[in-house]
Amino acid sequence: HFHSSHFNKQETTLTMKVAAVSTVLLAASASAFAPATRLNAAVVSSQSPTSLGLFGGKKEGGGDKGPGMMDQLAMFKKAQEVASKKNELDKELQAIDTIGSAADGKVKVTVKYAPPQLPANPNPGYDVVAVDLDEDYLGEASAEDLSAALVDAIRDGETVSTKMVGEKYQELQADMAEMLQGMQQK
């Protein structure tokens, strides 16, 4: 037999607990999406609020105050350029067919590079888009040999594709290194 006042106290307590847990989770998730500030903390802590040097350069009586607003805008533009180049490169790489082979060329697999789909899938992958089997080999090979040859051909295709992707990304990596070097000099 429940008293309505007893039920209301339990319901209120439960509601308060849910609200408290929700608030903690919301605060934790909000801070998870906040930009990292460790790098900026050292710069900001050495400056007074009135001497931030928003437009770059050195101020009288002080040393290097860190990058100003104009420098940060230039770095942001460079980061956007690099991201744009990466997207263009990914599209270019996606269009290239890479062929892996096994069993002395009797099993061939066509592989396409699949760029990472951020943030859901941060790792690149490979899609097998075609398989070419020699008819004589197909007739004489056991199921185990055919299976092993297919796996080897897929791995070969992925290896060839990975090498090609790595070579194409070296140019992009050089652009990123240039951008980071520019940021450190400011």
Side-chain angles (χ1 to χ4, degrees):
H1 180 273
F2 272 120
H3 281 279
S4 63
S5 63
H6 180 68
F7 181 71
N8 286 339
K9 285 181 185 177
Q10 283 183 330
E11 188 177 272
T12 304
T13 304
L14 179 62
T15 303
M16 289 174 56
K17 287 180 182 178
V18 169
V21 169
S22 299
T23 303
V24 170
L25 290 175
L26 184 61
S29 65
S31 66
F33 293 107
T37 56
R38 276 181 264 156
L39 179 64
N40 295 335
V43 174
V44 173
S45 66
S46 66
Q47 300 172 355
S48 72
T50 58
S51 65
L52 290 176
L54 293 178
F55 296 99
K58 294 182 179 183
K59 302 292 178 197
E60 289 182 33
D64 187 7
K65 299 284 187 185
M69 182 181 282
M70 298 305 276
D71 295 331
Q72 289 176 357
L73 288 172
M75 288 184 278
F76 181 71
K77 277 188 166 185
K78 185 66 176 175
Q80 283 182 321
E81 286 176 29
V82 170
S84 177
K85 284 183 183 181
K86 181 200 176 299
N87 288 338
E88 289 172 22
L89 183 59
D90 281 344
K91 285 180 184 175
E92 177 187 327
L93 291 169
Q94 246 178 323
I96 299 173
D97 288 343
T98 307
I99 297 177
S101 65
D104 300 321
K106 294 175 184 167
V107 175
K108 294 179 183 173
V109 175
T110 304
V111 175
K112 283 192 179 276
Y113 171 73
Q117 302 298 315
L118 299 175
N121 185 6
N123 299 318
Y126 303 92
D127 294 326
V128 174
V129 294
V131 176
D132 182 23
L133 301 173
D134 180 271
E135 286 186 39
D136 293 334
Y137 179 76
L138 182 59
E140 66 190 37
S142 69
E144 291 82 17
D145 289 343
L146 181 60
S147 178
L150 281 168
V151 169
D152 290 344
I154 292 169
R155 286 184 181 153
D156 184 50
E158 288 176 351
T159 300
V160 170
S161 185
T162 299
K163 183 178 178 187
M164 177 198 58
V165 168
E167 290 169 358
K168 297 276 188 177
Y169 265 87
Q170 284 180 346
E171 180 183 326
L172 185 66
Q173 188 176 8
D175 286 349
M176 289 176 61
E178 178 184 310
M179 182 182 75
L180 290 172
Q181 187 177 23
M183 286 171 60
Q184 289 174 348
Q185 291 176 353
K186 301 288 179 192

